[in-house]
Amino acid sequence: MYSRRFRLYAAVFGRLAKLARVVDVDDQVEACRRIFASDTGWTVVRGSDLEEGESQGLPVWSRHVGDPVLASNLTRRVDYAQFMVEAVDDDALVREAPAIVGRLTPSALAHAGGPA
């Protein structure tokens, strides 16, 4: 569930970005709507900003976008890919939309304790 503030931000930013011909998120919104409505076993990973570098290990995840563990909003590109591969075999992630953040980011270290 997204907060009202986030939905408002996304709506305003999405329209402005579309007008500026920078980004059009309508396709992503429609794809997620269809995925969430399907009867198949799906996982949609909500990523953070990505950075290059050596692996920090499997990212920390939460069901809630506003969770303080996600505040750092940064994941190593290689770790994002690792999470996607691991999600294929993780039954706990079926029909979930986890948000992730790098395991060694300040927010992850400050709120260590596993998935919410």
Side-chain angles (χ1 to χ4, degrees):
M1 298 296 295
Y2 293 106
S3 69
R4 181 175 289 174
R5 179 178 168 189
F6 179 81
R7 288 185 306 220
L8 178 62
Y9 171 81
V12 170
F13 175 75
R15 285 190 179 99
L16 290 174
K18 189 174 182 178
L19 286 173
R21 297 180 187 245
V22 177
V23 175
D24 185 354
V25 297
D26 291 343
D27 288 344
Q28 292 176 0
V29 170
E30 179 61 17
C32 283
R33 188 192 66 70
R34 289 180 185 204
I35 289 167
F36 296 155
S38 76
D39 292 329
T40 61
W42 51 262
T43 303
V44 174
V45 178
R46 296 173 288 171
S48 58
D49 292 340
L50 298 175
E51 70 175 347
E52 300 298 330
E54 295 294 317
S55 175
Q56 296 179 339
L58 199 60
V60 175
W61 68 275
S62 175
R63 287 183 175 96
H64 309 288
V65 173
D67 191 320
V69 75
L70 303 170
S72 294
N73 192 42
L74 193 61
T75 305
R76 297 278 168 96
R77 189 175 303 276
V78 64
D79 297 334
Y80 181 88
Q82 181 185 0
F83 188 88
M84 295 295 289
V85 170
E86 294 290 327
V88 170
D89 293 324
D90 189 343
D91 290 340
L93 293 173
V94 174
R95 300 191 68 79
E96 291 283 346
I100 65 172
V101 70
R103 176 168 296 287
L104 299 180
T105 60
S107 64
L109 294 173
H111 299 87

